[in-house]
């Protein structure tokens, strides 16, 4: 029996018989464990035509690359083993340089592969560059540090960080930026589209499956870049019409929410000179600020802070008290409300549905 080897660690000696076997087991198990869990931002699970077109282009290129890798590495390993020098008396293997047929083969073959890949790529690009149909839903998405402004120009609706779209209907998205370069990306929906100041880029997609899909800014845009997320809700046409109607209604606040509305629309801190209405908009009220996200129908949103935390009473309270504690780098300042004022404002914002 071979001797048992081991290494001394902080909790004792870990013993194993075969280091190579252990390394192989780790190499196999680690990727399997890394692949566990729900893939919330995976291009491998497309639910829209745009992402599926990209997937249909990617997979053939992947298989072509895999075949080339296997052939090249196989030839290399075969050559190393077959023609290795076993003794000093072994002659030098037959040299093949100058072989016209081989040189023609490894010149023509890569050229053919490049042409095939180019044709597939240009075909996909041509499909994705087609003009949107007349009934396409227009959506304008504007990147800010570090949140997303979402406007439905034909519906007169503005919201933030959460996009609602009907399934089986073309969505024509215009992507812009208010400050630096961002990148609009829902991996399961469509490819990355850069948001560039002073320029409008476009993408077109049709979501085929009802669900909630996670997106992310894919271009480093500053301190809180990794926390600049967004959500897309694909719903039925009837549910989308209900959401549209809710976004256009302004409920009258009652009780504590009415006190919160007064604070939200009039309060200016004597120490900081800041107030909610200076930065935020709530349709149908005197709050028409444009520095921060629109808070119209905030109570119906599922998240806060650019899809960073759930929209709960506790989280909303903590966010108003000091947003930087939750999202370091956020540009929203501390307004300076006391606990009673914050409770009233929270009640008001949650009543906006």
């Amino acid at each position: 029996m071979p001797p048992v080897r081991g290494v001394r660690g902080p909790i004792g000696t870990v013993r194993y018989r075969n280091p190579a076997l252990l390394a192989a087991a780790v190499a196999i198990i680690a990727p399997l464990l890394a692949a566990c869990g729900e893939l919330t931002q995976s291009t491998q699970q497309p639910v829209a035509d745009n992402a599926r077109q990209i997937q249909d282009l990617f997979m053939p290129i992947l298989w072509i690359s895999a075949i080339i890798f296997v052939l090249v590495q196989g030839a290399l390993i075969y050559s190393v083993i077959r023609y290795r020098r076993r003794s000093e008396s072994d002659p030098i293997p037959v040299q093949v340089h100058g072989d016209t047929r081989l040189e023609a083969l490894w010149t023509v073959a890569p050229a053919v592969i490049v042409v095939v890949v180019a044709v597939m790529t240009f075909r996909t690009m041509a499909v994705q560059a087609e003009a949107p149909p007349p009934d396409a839903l227009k959506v304008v998405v504007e990147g800010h540090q570090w949140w997303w402004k979402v406007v439905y120009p034909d519906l007169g609706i503005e919201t933030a960080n959460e996009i609602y779209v009907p399934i089986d209907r073309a969505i024509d998205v215009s992507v812009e930026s208010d400050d630096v370069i961002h990148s609009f990306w829902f991996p399961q929906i469509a490819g990355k589209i850069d948001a560039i100041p002073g320029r409008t880029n476009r993408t077109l997609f049709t979501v085929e499956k009802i669900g909630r899909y996670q997106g992310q800014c894919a271009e480093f845009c500053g301190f809180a870049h990794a926390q600049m997320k967004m959500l897309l809700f694909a719903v039925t046409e009837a549910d989308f019409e209900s959401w549209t109607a809710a976004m256009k209604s302004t409920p009258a606040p009652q009780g504590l929410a009415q006190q919160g509305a007064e604070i939200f629309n009039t309060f200016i801190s004597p120490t900081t000179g800041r107030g909610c209405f200076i930065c935020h908009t709530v349709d149908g009220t005197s709050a028409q600020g444009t520095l921060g996200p629109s808070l119209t129908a905030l109570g119906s949103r599922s998240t806060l802070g650019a899809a960073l935390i759930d929209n709960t009473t506790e989280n909303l309270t903590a966010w108003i008290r000091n947003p930087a504690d939750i999202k370091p780098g956020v540009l929203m300042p501390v307004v300076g409300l006391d606990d009673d004022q914050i409770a009233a404002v929270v009640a008001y914002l949650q009543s906006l549905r």
Side-chain angles (χ1 to χ4, degrees):
M1 177 182 295
V4 176
R5 303 177 182 178
V7 293
R8 170 66 64 178
I11 59 174
T13 300
V14 179
R15 297 184 179 276
Y16 54 91
R17 295 181 180 276
N18 192 323
L21 182 60
L22 177 64
V26 171
I28 294 173
I29 295 174
L32 294 177
L33 293 176
C36 293
E38 183 181 357
L39 303 177
T40 57
Q41 291 189 181
S42 173
T43 60
Q44 303 300 306
Q45 298 173 344
V47 296
D49 56 349
N50 188 300
R52 183 168 289 104
Q53 291 158 7
I54 296 174
Q55 177 76 350
D56 291 343
L57 172 64
F58 170 75
M59 292 308 298
I61 294 177
L62 176 64
W63 282 113
I64 291 172
S65 302
I67 292 171
I68 293 173
F69 174 81
V70 170
L71 292 177
V72 172
Q73 293 300 315
L76 179 61
I77 293 172
Y78 172 80
S79 299
V80 168
I81 296 174
R82 174 67 177 80
Y83 299 109
R84 72 186 186 279
R85 193 170 188 180
R86 294 175 175 81
S87 67
E88 294 295 331
S89 60
D90 283 351
I92 297 177
V94 176
Q95 304 300 296
V96 295
H97 60 273
D99 188 313
T100 304
R101 290 174 299 177
L102 282 177
E103 291 183 359
L105 177 63
W106 58 55
T107 300
V108 173
V112 171
I113 293 172
V114 169
V115 170
V116 171
V117 171
V119 169
M120 293 190 300
T121 302
F122 287 131
R123 184 178 60 185
T124 301
M125 293 172 62
V127 171
Q128 297 199 342
E130 293 178 352
D135 64 339
L137 175 65
K138 291 181 172 58
V139 181
V140 179
V141 178
E142 185 177 75
H144 294 252
Q145 290 179 312
W146 287 272
W147 57 280
W148 300 93
K149 177 181 178 181
V150 182
V151 177
Y152 297 77
D154 294 342
L155 302 177
I157 292 174
E158 179 180 330
T159 183
N161 305 314
E162 297 185 4
I163 305 172
Y164 275 77
V165 300
I167 61 171
D168 300 327
R169 181 178 174 185
I171 312 299
D172 179 15
V173 182
S174 299
V175 182
E176 304 170 353
S177 173
D178 180 65
D179 37 47
V180 300
I181 297 177
H182 302 279
S183 187
F184 177 82
W185 188 36
F186 282 93
Q188 293 180 267
I189 304 296
K192 299 175 184 177
I193 300 295
D194 283 345
I196 302 174
R199 176 172 178 170
T200 299
N201 290 328
R202 308 180 77 89
T203 185
L204 180 69
F205 58 80
T206 300
V207 185
E208 303 160 347
K209 183 179 178 182
I210 294 174
R212 163 178 160 157
Y213 305 104
Q214 186 169 307
Q216 175 74 50
C217 177
E219 178 77 23
F220 180 72
C221 54
F223 191 86
H225 156 70
Q227 297 171 324
M228 187 175 170
K229 302 179 181 180
M230 52 188 163
L231 295 173
L232 185 144
F233 295 88
V235 298
T236 64
E237 190 71 41
D239 287 342
F240 179 74
E241 291 177 0
S242 297
W243 176 83
T244 300
M247 290 294 294
K248 292 182 177 182
S249 65
T250 304
Q254 304 292 330
L256 184 61
Q258 187 174 9
Q259 299 177 30
E262 180 69 20
I263 296 170
F264 185 93
N265 289 291
T266 62
F267 175 84
I268 297 180
S269 171
T271 56
T272 65
R274 294 162 177 161
C276 304
F277 70 94
I278 295 175
C279 296
H280 298 286
T281 293
V282 175
D283 289 348
T285 73
S286 59
Q288 297 296 311
T290 58
L291 295 177
S294 170
L295 300 185
T296 302
L298 177 70
S300 64
R301 295 182 200 169
S302 61
T303 60
L304 302 168
L308 183 61
I309 55 176
D310 291 336
N311 186 3
T312 64
T313 300
E314 294 76 14
N315 287 341
L316 184 54
T317 300
W319 180 267
I320 295 174
R321 180 175 291 114
N322 189 356
D325 284 345
I326 298 173
K327 187 172 182 176
V330 67
L331 300 182
M332 177 177 168
V334 175
V335 178
L337 301 174
D338 61 34
D339 288 346
D340 291 339
Q341 290 172 322
I342 291 176
V345 170
V346 167
Y348 168 59
L349 293 177
Q350 289 184 327
S351 73
L352 300 175
R353 296 181 178 272

